[in-house]
Amino acid sequence: MKNIFTSTIIMLLCLTVYAQQNAASNFAGVAKPKNKQVSPEESQQKPMAQFVSPISVQILLGSQGIGADVKYGITPKLSGRFGFGIIPVTANNMFGFSAFPVEDQLSAKFSNLHLLADYAPFNNKSYRLVGGAAYLVKGNANVIITPSGSYQFGSQTLNKDQIGSLSASVDWKGVAPYLGVALFKSFPNRLFNMNIDIGTYYLASPGTSFTGTKLLSDNNSQAAQFNQNMQGYRWLPVVQLNFNFRIK
């Protein structure tokens, strides 16, 4: 019993000395640690979500024909896309001459592989700058003009097979830089959205040919002038609607 009483007295003395030293420290200016007060706003604030790169597939329809590409989100404001476009167009009777009736056939065949980047300069991602380039696998426009009836030349009557035909073609190949803008969201929030591209490709200088057959073969001398006239046709405008399906 005596030992228990002695131990209790010693414990009380130790606690008293500790309390006095602690009070003296506080009096000297050493602040006690305090629990940090958390405001309601801080308590409701959630950690910033990590950016997950979205991926989508687009079906393209517009002035560069039909095609598709795959889009990948690199950062919240920057994405890239790789795809292709094809123009298979054939049209008849697009031209007319007052002197005599003709039949004509116009064909245009374009195919390209493109690599583009979309950048949203503002917080509103519905407006983006688009830049990049395409490689023209094929870029050809061709027209054939053939007389469609019989013609009187002085006292001689000639049919269309005797007169011949005219043929003109233009070919573009190689790398074509692209610059434009894109409207509406680059990626759908859930599954699907639509967006629009407006811009232009700058094509390489085209190669040309201009030939005539039979009685129209004299027009071959105009080949140099035709080539000169076509050298300014290096801009390929793009107005395109994209059907965008998100896969990630």
Side-chain angles (χ1 to χ4, degrees), residues 38-234:
V38 179
S39 67
E41 292 77 13
E42 291 176 329
S43 65
Q44 295 177 0
Q45 187 175 9
K46 296 181 179 179
M48 182 178 295
Q50 186 177 3
F51 174 72
V52 177
S53 297
I55 301 175
S56 69
V57 175
Q58 292 193 139
I59 306 300
L60 319 177
L61 180 62
S63 62
Q64 68 168 337
I66 59 175
D69 59 27
V70 177
K71 297 184 69 175
Y72 178 80
I74 302 170
T75 71
K77 289 193 171 187
L78 178 66
S79 63
R81 43 176 148 156
F82 174 75
F84 69 93
I86 299 175
I87 300 178
V89 174
T90 300
N92 296 317
N93 301 322
M94 299 289 293
F95 306 96
F97 298 91
S98 58
F100 51 87
V102 297
E103 294 177 348
D104 60 76
Q105 183 180 66
L106 172 67
S107 64
K109 297 179 181 179
F110 282 77
S111 58
N112 73 73
L113 299 174
H114 56 259
L115 181 63
L116 306 175
D118 294 44
Y119 177 71
F122 310 114
N123 291 331
N124 182 358
K125 298 186 178 85
S126 295
Y127 170 83
R128 303 180 309 283
L129 301 176
V130 184
Y135 178 76
L136 263 68
V137 180
K138 184 169 190 153
N140 171 264
N142 183 70
V143 61
I144 299 174
I145 299 175
T146 305
S148 59
S150 298
Y151 303 90
Q152 192 73 27
F153 289 90
S155 59
Q156 190 176 12
T157 301
L158 302 175
N159 60 38
K160 61 179 183 180
D161 295 329
Q162 293 172 306
I163 295 173
S165 63
L166 285 175
S167 176
S169 67
V170 186
D171 289 279
W172 295 270
K173 290 183 179 179
V175 177
Y178 178 85
L179 186 63
V181 297
L183 305 177
F184 309 122
K185 283 188 175 182
S186 183
F187 294 95
N189 291 332
R190 295 187 178 179
L191 177 63
F192 171 77
N193 77 341
M194 292 188 294
N195 54 68
I196 295 173
D197 278 307
I198 302 173
T200 183
Y201 286 106
Y202 184 65
L203 308 178
S205 296
T208 65
S209 69
F210 189 88
T211 58
T213 63
K214 299 181 180 179
L215 293 180
L216 298 178
S217 60
D218 290 344
N219 289 281
N220 294 347
S221 61
Q222 301 299 315
Q225 183 62 49
F226 177 73
N227 181 71
Q228 182 179 343
N229 293 343
M230 296 304 300
Q231 292 309 302
Y233 288 85
R234 300 182 63 180

